[in-house]
Amino acid sequence: MVNGGSRGRLLPMGDRAILVEVASLDDVLTLRRQLEASRPEGVADLVPAARTVLVRVDPRVLPLAAARSWLDRTIASADAAAAAPADAALVEIDAVYDGPDLDETAGLLRMSAEELVRRHSGAEWTVAFTGFAPGFGYLVSPDWPYDVPRLANPRTRVPAGSIGVAGGFSGAYPRETPGGWRLLGTTSAPLFDPDAASPALLAPGTRVRFRPAASEVAGASGLASSSRRSSPFPGSGPTAESSVLRSPNERSGKRGRPRTDEDRRPGIRIVEPGLLATLQDLGRTGAAALGVAPSGALDRGALRTANRLVGNDEGAAGIEVTMGGFRAAAERDLWFAVAGAWGPIRLDGNELDPYEAHAWPTGAELHLDWFAHGARAYLAVRGGLDGAVVLGSHASDLLAGLGPDPLRAGQRIGAGESASAGIPAPVIAPWGAPADELLEVALAAGPRADWFAASAHRELFEAVWTVTNDADRVGVRLDGPVLSRTRDGELPSEGMVPGALQVPPSGRPTILLADGPVTGGYPVIAVATDVSLDAVAQARPGTRVRFRHARPI
């Protein structure tokens, strides 16, 4: 599209996204800028990666056909001379070059450690894309021609603030994670602050320089931005800069600022959370380019229904209970409803029906016993439940560690004083237990279907797959026949969506869910349709799954 007259290729990514593949990372950077400049309403996310830009859309606002037309026009009018804008933000990061791999990496590149530091800190980097973890930017530079091999044995723990290199990239770890990059140094800069107006310091397109600093200097300052911009966060002044440089404890940690007992409205007290209980709403949109997954309720239909039954907005926060065993007591008179997975519901020992609104008197204990059918039930309380808000959502992201922590015994959760509507009159509706013995899941086309043999496509739809014990909010691993590939190896990292069927070297697919990674390197053979994801959310280990072709869009 921009180099040598090559053009972008549009690849299907389910029923709510399109993957645009280009020839090089330079093309990705140019395309992302052009798409941002002409972005129409209905584009939810633009997610750049190594050779692709993922375009997520809301088809209620922008149908996929209209999105394809916009992309075709943008690609056709691409300016080969387009360059990074001169006024792109420049962020300078104080770096202490004391990494455990500094000397070995210098040896691999046949230079001294001092020369490696000089070359790394002398380069002007650009954030090409983010992924792996919220705020983890993949930095590239024309001044860095080196292809650095990853560690043969990745570390199980890389400390937050570590600066590393791998392949042709550099980056800094916003939080402690496993990792296989070679570590050159550290920084105390606040790389990702979910409470900030611009959470990621290293957002796509940002220009970056690493500034060598003595350890005592770096510990005191951590960050210095260029003279062009007094703070790395748009719209911030010098006083705002000092606020984002608070210590991790003062900044209240990665999950967002919790409400205190003084400003919490009485609601419920958790007696026993069961296997897993989390606060969820309908999730986050627009933050995937920062490495942030959508999260939110896995069975969105069940949460919406429970909220409607008590007069809430459909997106009000409720509790997602996994497999049951949950108990909570009311701290004031409330109304509640439960939808989704099917199991005994008792209030002070009296059994109640799901999919109905019930009064919950002060002090009464609600018990959602272990579920007989389905995996996740949703408890909605009239007025909605309260918790830390991160990037506009109450949702708990277990993989990234964003949003409220999983609920614990003794925890108190506030509830709103009013709802958007009255409690509707009871109606006779065909509610029933979710299907969890044999699920039928519709699949739309995936971007890497051509990586797989014809036999793999037949087996994908003819076989009966089984949900393994590796099933959680990140994804559901399936057992069944091996899907044979016609191409070996992994892809350069590219954008992912909930519902993507990634196929690792084992040949058995995993269905990514709402807490799944924003980018990945395994080929996606197909994508579960958006409406099918609610059914996948109710799959338990041992559930059988059959796939069918989705209707063409």
Side-chain angles (χ1 to χ4, degrees), residues 28-203:
V28 169
L29 300 176
T30 300
L31 177 61
R32 184 195 66 82
R33 291 193 295 270
Q34 292 165 333
L35 294 179
E36 286 285 7
S38 63
R39 182 174 182 163
E41 186 179 1
V43 174
D45 272 307
L46 295 173
V47 186
R51 296 290 184 274
T52 58
V53 177
L54 178 69
V55 182
R56 294 184 180 181
V57 304
D58 181 348
R60 297 168 299 180
V61 180
L62 183 69
L64 275 182
R68 291 189 189 101
S69 296
W70 165 61
L71 291 170
D72 283 334
R73 292 193 304 272
T74 303
I75 292 170
S77 62
D79 181 3
D87 61 349
L90 174 62
V91 172
E92 293 182 343
I93 296 178
D94 282 342
V96 180
Y97 284 94
D98 59 354
D101 303 318
L102 179 64
D103 290 334
E104 183 179 351
T105 305
L108 289 171
L109 299 179
R110 298 184 178 180
M111 63 180 70
S112 67
E114 291 76 13
E115 178 68 8
L116 176 56
V117 171
R118 188 185 69 78
R119 290 180 178 270
H120 187 267
S121 61
E124 181 174 301
W125 302 85
T126 299
V127 183
F129 57 93
T130 60
F132 174 64
F136 185 96
Y138 288 77
L139 312 183
V140 296
S141 173
D143 307 320
W144 184 261
Y146 310 109
D147 186 358
V148 181
R150 288 171 168 80
L151 295 174
N153 297 302
R155 292 181 171 89
T156 58
R157 175 185 174 273
V158 176
S162 296
I163 299 169
V165 290
F169 299 104
S170 186
Y173 287 73
R175 59 187 293 249
E176 182 180 306
T177 63
W181 288 33
R182 294 182 180 271
L183 305 182
L184 306 185
T186 56
T187 181
S188 59
L191 298 167
F192 189 79
D193 182 354
D195 297 324
S198 296
L201 178 63
L202 305 183

Side-chain angles (χ1 to χ4, degrees), residues 20-21 64 222 243 328 372 427 434 449 485 534-535:
V20 187
E21 183 179 47
L64 275 182
S243 72
V427 296
R485 285 163 53 168
D534 286 355

